[in-house]
Amino acid sequence: LAALLTYENGKNRYEAIADVDEAIDFMRYYADEMDSNEGYTTRMKSAYPDELCYSVMKPYGVFAVISPFNFPIAITTGMCSAALVTGNTVVLKPASDTPLSAFMICKIMYDAGLPESVLNLVTGSGSIVGNALVASDDVDGIAFTGSKEVGLNIYYTGNAKRPKPIIMEMGGKNPTMVSSKADLRKAVEGVARAAFGYSGQKCSACSRVYVQRDVYDEFVSRLVEYTSELKVGNPIERDTFMGPLINKSAYDKYSRYAATVSRECRVLYGAEEVTDGDMRYGYYVKPTIVTDIPAGHEILREELFLPLLAVVKYSELGEALEMCNDSIYALTAGIYSNDEEEIRAFLEGIEAGVVYVNRGRSATTGAMVGSQPFVGWKYSGTSGKGTGSKYYLQLFMREQSQTICA
């Protein structure tokens, strides 16, 4: 599965294996949740001596699952297994760039004994197949991961005829703060991994880093040095860190932004396509670090889904928090500081569903199922509940109050 994923969406070996591991984690965790909650049937208090009262969670019926290209095994399996384990049937529409991964997931499910009519695979463009599913009155609920623009269209279209549960995660513009009291080695590695892992094509990717001015020069110097050593190349090769972008549209978008930041900002590293050897046949680009960015610039506001990191100075913690929160998105965020008061202020003031403190392996990415619920605030999500958390399965069910009189 990981090998197929590398060929299909360009993830390196490590990221591809992690994608498959996460899919396994989702299935185990959600099955355990159904067991530990006894199928979400709960004995309630009795209002009268002759009454037995229960809360029973029941499936909605048919769920449309519309999955993304960046985690075509993990997120697809997570959304499908949550819908299935709670008793719903599923119509799965994978991203147009990654249909083979979804096909393999379904094949494994069928081989394991799941009736084919319970999990149904349809492929095609979002504008045709996706829209047909969203507008269908035969669909009782929708689970979607993708862009804000597509998600909002799904939200309004899906509820046009009747109310439906629409469970969505819609991306992020994720900030990290680096304090003057940070371990800079850990901060550099964490920010670079979060910004450029899978070529920045993660909804949780770090795209903005706010650095206290006292350590700004040293942090930037070390970040550029670290980033310059990340290998861009064929993702099937063992030492490749960044493979290609997903498609020509993403490649062209990178080229446009590379030209924009070269003209309007100061490029510290990157902003170039990679055309050495065989890479001239693919959508390979350099990780890009930019600073001296005009206030309100689009690279500070828009989710780009590209390996482009904006670096901004700050003086006081409150100023940095204000800049972090100045976004319509609120998915993930991180801080590097060894000062307990700074950490407390960050945790109390940051507007994000998933936050990390001094995480060396990644500043904003890499949430683990069952440990770090993955939830978006603001325009990053609709439910206020996270995947891989104890609340997620309840989103796929509706409550029925049952009273039995003696």
Side-chain angles (χ1 to χ4, degrees):
L1 284 176
L4 169 67
L5 181 53
T6 294
Y7 276 100
E8 189 171 37
N9 85 343
K11 281 193 171 179
N12 67 22
R13 292 185 177 200
Y14 176 85
E15 297 261 5
I17 288 288
D19 204 303
V20 177
D21 284 348
E22 187 174 3
I24 296 167
D25 290 344
F26 273 128
M27 297 186 75
R28 287 177 170 164
Y29 181 75
Y30 292 150
D32 286 345
E33 281 295 291
M34 283 299 288
D35 281 342
S36 62
N37 286 283
E38 298 180 339
Y40 291 90
T41 295
T42 305
R43 172 75 183 272
M44 306 297 289
K45 293 181 178 179
S46 295
Y48 301 96
D50 62 340
E51 292 182 348
L52 291 176
C53 300
Y54 298 89
S55 167
V56 181
M57 299 294 284
K58 293 189 173 185
Y60 280 93
V62 179
F63 255 86
V65 171
I66 302 174
S67 60
F69 74 82
N70 58 345
F71 287 85
I73 293 179
I75 292 179
T76 303
T77 300
M79 291 192 293
C80 286
S81 60
L84 292 170
V85 78
T86 50
N88 301 280
T89 60
V90 169
V91 180
L92 168 62
K93 208 291 292 182
S96 301
D97 289 302
T98 52
L100 291 178
S101 297
F103 173 81
M104 287 302 296
I105 292 169
C106 292
K107 184 178 185 302
I108 290 169
M109 295 281 202
Y110 300 153
D111 290 346
L114 188 74
E116 293 187 14
S117 58
V118 173
L119 175 61
N120 308 271
L121 175 66
V122 292
T123 61
S125 70
S127 61
I128 298 174
V129 178
N131 285 348
L133 279 175
V134 170
S136 173
D137 201 38
D138 294 324
V139 169
D140 300 298
I142 301 166
F144 166 79
T145 300
S147 71
K148 172 178 69 72
E149 291 73 21
V150 174
L152 291 178
N153 180 64
I154 288 173
Y155 189 82
Y156 293 116
T157 304
N159 280 302
K161 294 182 180 178
R162 61 183 173 93
K164 298 178 182 179
I166 299 182
I167 307 160
M168 294 196 295
E169 188 269 293
M170 298 185 292
K173 190 65 184 172
N174 311 294
T176 298
M177 291 169 52
V178 179
S179 162
S180 60
K181 299 168 184 175
D183 178 336
L184 292 188
R185 180 200 59 79
K186 184 183 286 187
V188 165
E189 183 173 348
V191 167
R193 288 183 172 275
F196 305 126
Y198 189 47
S199 303
Q201 298 173 123
K202 299 179 183 179
C203 48
S204 56
C206 177
S207 59
R208 300 178 287 151
V209 58
Y210 298 98
V211 186
Q212 211 281 332
R213 63 175 58 253
D214 293 345
V215 294
Y216 175 86
D217 290 340
E218 183 181 356
F219 174 82
V220 164
S221 175
R222 292 169 68 165
L223 178 65
V224 169
E225 180 183 4
Y226 186 95
T227 302
S228 69
E229 295 173 356
L230 300 176
K231 180 183 174 181
V232 178
N234 189 329
I236 71 172
E237 296 173 358
R238 184 183 298 272
D239 58 344
T240 292
F241 182 83
M242 258 180 58
L245 296 177
I246 187 63
N247 54 32
K248 188 176 187 302
S249 176
Y251 187 71
D252 291 343
K253 184 179 181 182
Y254 175 91
S255 298
R256 291 197 304 273
Y257 275 102
T260 297
V261 297
S262 296
R263 185 175 60 251
E264 300 174 1
C265 311
R266 181 161 68 97
V267 176
L268 298 173
Y269 186 80
E272 299 175 22
E273 297 83 0
V274 179
T275 57
D276 303 334
D278 287 344
M279 285 187 284
R280 68 184 183 275
Y281 301 116
Y283 304 127
Y284 294 91
V285 302
K286 282 189 177 182
T288 299
I289 303 170
V290 177
T291 192
D292 292 351
I293 306 156
H297 197 282
E298 59 188 320
I299 68 167
L300 293 173
R301 294 183 287 104
E302 302 297 328
E303 183 185 38
L304 305 182
F305 241 57
L306 297 170
L308 197 160
L309 176 65
V311 185
V312 179
K313 287 181 188 177
Y314 77 87
S315 297
E316 302 295 333
L317 181 75
E319 174 193 8
L321 266 175
E322 186 175 335
M323 289 189 291
C324 285
N325 292 337
D326 185 19
S327 174
I328 63 171
Y329 297 101
L331 183 55
T332 66
I335 186 174
Y336 292 93
S337 174
N338 291 317
D339 184 282
E340 291 185 4
E341 284 301 308
E342 287 188 338
I343 293 170
R344 179 191 57 76
F346 171 80
L347 293 175
E348 288 182 357
I350 192 68
E351 296 173 358
V354 190
V355 297
Y356 301 101
V357 177
N358 294 325
R359 199 166 189 244
R361 57 181 55 89
S362 176
T364 61
T365 67
M368 299 297 290
V369 176
S371 297
Q372 291 132 349
F374 195 72
V375 51
W377 294 7
K378 297 182 181 177
Y379 277 88
S380 291
T382 57
S383 68
K385 307 293 189 299
T387 62
S389 83
K390 65 179 183 178
Y391 304 110
Y392 189 63
L393 291 185
Q394 298 174 56
L395 301 174
F396 291 84
M397 297 179 286
R398 51 191 173 182
E399 185 178 27
Q400 184 178 70
S401 173
Q402 297 181 352
T403 300
I404 302 169
C405 298

